[in-house]
Amino acid sequence: MKIEAVELRVLKMRLLKPFRTSFGVQQDRYPLLVRLDIDGRSQWGECVAGEGPWYSYETVETAWQVLKGYLLPAVIGRDLANVDALETLFAPVRGHHMAKACIEMAFTAALAEHARKPLAKFLGGVRDRVETGVSIGASLAQGYRRIKVKIEPGWDVMALGAVRERYPEITLMADANAAYGLDDAAHLAQLDRFGLLMLEQPLAAGDLVDHASLQRQIRTPICLDESIESARDARQALQLGACQVINIKPGRVGGFAESRRIHDIAANAGVPVWCGGMLETGIGRACNVALATLPNFRLPGDISASDRYWAEDIVEPPFTLQRGGTVAVPTRWGLGVRVKVDLVERLTVRRELIGS
Ligand code: NPQ
Ligand code: MG
């Protein structure tokens, strides 16, 4: 499999509803897409980097730079037998997992297509539908398996208490996106009474030791998101007792291969994982859905339907919410959805072809 050239492009897409996190409010998403030209065929991928360096140090701008300057020159024109070969060529670049992941995932989808298998089956998936949750600021969403409320200091105990009172039975969790410190342990312990499925990333990404300390002071299971950038992070977090659940986003950890390593480490420790979301278009969503078919993805993911975010998704068919709060896993070979190239063209605000 030879990557002959790669086209980078940034789209501008209006979110149906502004998305609020502890970082701020976001109205537009600028997805960075890649199109790999492999053995005469096109393979699309999506980089999940954000517009600013808040969730991660990576941004659309840094990912473009690192792809163009370092990652693509290392792989374009080379015959790559498998993902191991790709990972070896990317290894000298430190970090920048989101930039690496979009190429790794597109390459893996191309391998799946070449093997005449749907991506989910190629990855070893065991499900034909995946359970979906939704991540919200304040308004409730019907039909999903669980609801995740974004919290921050000043919007936590009261907000979750109000949701819990109105919906006593709903599967509820909270995501703090690193907005607290270990000093807040007693305050966060007040969340224990709401029977939360988990509390996601209460402390800063680098604070594994403090997460372990916090977990000893609260009953709610801690889930780590931003803290887990690799299989090594996952192993160390579990050794320390820093979490009881792991959110895997393939973009954050560098792709499918590293996601699977984290999946396996957690499975061996008896720790469930679930698939996070980064307000992806249908391309990134298809990757998340395929990954979430692996056996230890035992909790609903942030794999909402396309129409939760977009008036019109850039793939066909779009992902729809189905009975029981699930999304069907595509059965066609490779990525499993068709990219609407005309729509992508209309939404493009920046493009460049990187050749050999
Ligand atoms: C999370 N996702 O689990 C992330 C946060 C997030 C669905 O809650 C651009 C860049 C948009 C980074 C949207 C959800 C983003 C982003 C959400 C991160 O923490
Ligand atoms: Mg999160």
Side-chain angles (χ1 to χ4, degrees):
M1 304 275 285
K2 187 160 156 188
I3 303 175
E4 286 135 11
V6 176
E7 187 186 61
L8 303 177
R9 47 172 96 207
V10 176
L11 314 189
K12 179 177 183 178
M13 291 174 74
R14 173 56 48 106
L15 288 161
L16 276 177
K17 290 184 202 147
F19 190 80
R20 186 186 163 85
T21 63
S22 61
F23 324 121
V25 181
Q26 182 158 358
Q27 179 64 253
D28 292 309
R29 188 77 168 101
Y30 289 82
L32 169 52
L33 300 189
V34 294
R35 196 200 64 226
L36 278 53
D37 297 333
I38 301 182
D39 299 342
R41 297 178 62 90
S42 288
Q43 183 65 57
W44 291 86
E46 176 170 357
C47 176
V48 301
E51 288 68 27
W54 300 296
Y55 171 85
S56 159
Y57 61 83
E58 292 191 80
T59 67
V60 173
E61 208 59 41
T62 67
W64 183 292
Q65 193 88 8
V66 169
L67 281 161
K68 178 179 170 178
Y70 303 95
L71 300 174
L72 297 180
V75 299
I76 287 174
R78 300 189 66 142
D79 208 353
L80 302 171
N82 51 40
V83 170
D84 281 0
L86 188 78
E87 286 190 309
T88 302
L89 292 171
F90 283 176
V93 174
R94 181 167 164 225
H96 293 281
H97 293 171
M98 294 177 182
K100 290 173 180 171
C102 64
I103 304 300
E104 196 259 12
M105 292 195 281
F107 184 69
T108 303
L111 289 172
E113 195 167 307
H114 190 75
R116 304 179 164 222
K117 285 183 175 173
L119 184 54
K121 280 277 171 343
F122 186 75
L123 294 174
V126 295
R127 281 181 255 277
D128 60 7
R129 46 190 56 248
V130 297
E131 297 196 328
T132 71
V134 67
S135 177
I136 58 166
S139 63
L140 273 191
Q142 300 299 314
Y144 287 92
R145 295 298 288 248
R146 67 102 172 104
I147 290 188
K148 161 164 143 182
V149 177
K150 292 288 190 179
I151 59 167
E152 61 188 71
W155 177 261
D156 46 31
V157 179
M158 291 257 287
L160 286 166
V163 175
R164 182 45 94 207
E165 192 173 340
R166 176 117 166 60
Y167 300 93
E169 303 296 334
I170 205 161
T171 303
L172 189 63
M173 63 175 285
D175 185 356
N177 287 114
Y180 295 87
L182 192 53
D183 291 353
D184 298 311
H187 180 71
L188 291 172
Q190 294 181 70
L191 302 178
D192 284 345
R193 69 181 121 111
F194 302 131
L196 301 182
L197 183 62
M198 69 189 94
L199 170 60
E200 185 176 342
Q201 197 68 42
L203 312 179
D207 293 353
L208 282 188
V209 172
D210 282 356
H211 274 104
S213 172
L214 177 63
Q215 183 67 90
R216 289 191 292 271
Q217 298 176 64
I218 66 175
R219 271 186 291 120
T220 307
I222 292 176
C223 169
L224 291 177
D225 173 358
E226 286 93 322
S227 290
I228 308 298
E229 293 187 350
S230 64
R232 191 210 297 121
D233 291 339
R235 176 176 57 75
Q236 294 180 355
L238 295 179
Q239 265 172 14
L240 282 168
C243 65
Q244 299 180 32
V245 183
I246 295 176
N247 164 334
I248 300 182
K249 294 172 180 169
R252 190 190 68 228
V253 305
F256 288 128
E258 193 73 358
S259 296
R260 175 202 299 282
R261 291 179 203 116
I262 296 170
H263 167 276
D264 294 351
I265 287 167
N268 287 329
V271 165
V273 303
W274 56 282
C275 185
M278 292 289 286
L279 310 189
E280 291 92 346
T281 73
I283 296 172
R285 207 165 294 279
C287 292
N288 290 345
V289 167
L291 181 66
T293 64
L294 295 187
N296 195 38
F297 281 81
R298 290 188 273 143
L299 295 164
D302 279 342
I303 302 178
S304 313
S306 298
D307 70 2
R308 178 83 198 154
Y309 297 116
W310 315 116
E312 187 181 2
D313 203 342
I314 59 170
V315 304
E316 224 169 35
F319 289 91
T320 57
L321 189 60
Q322 300 187 352
R323 237 171 340 94
T326 62
V327 162
V329 179
T331 53
R332 294 168 46 184
W333 298 341
L335 191 64
V337 288
R338 197 186 67 79
V339 175
K340 296 182 187 178
V341 179
D342 291 350
L343 179 58
V344 166
E345 197 60 50
R346 285 203 299 279
L347 297 171
T348 298
V349 293
R350 181 179 178 190
R351 68 192 289 178
E352 186 168 344
L353 185 70
I354 316 285
S356 44

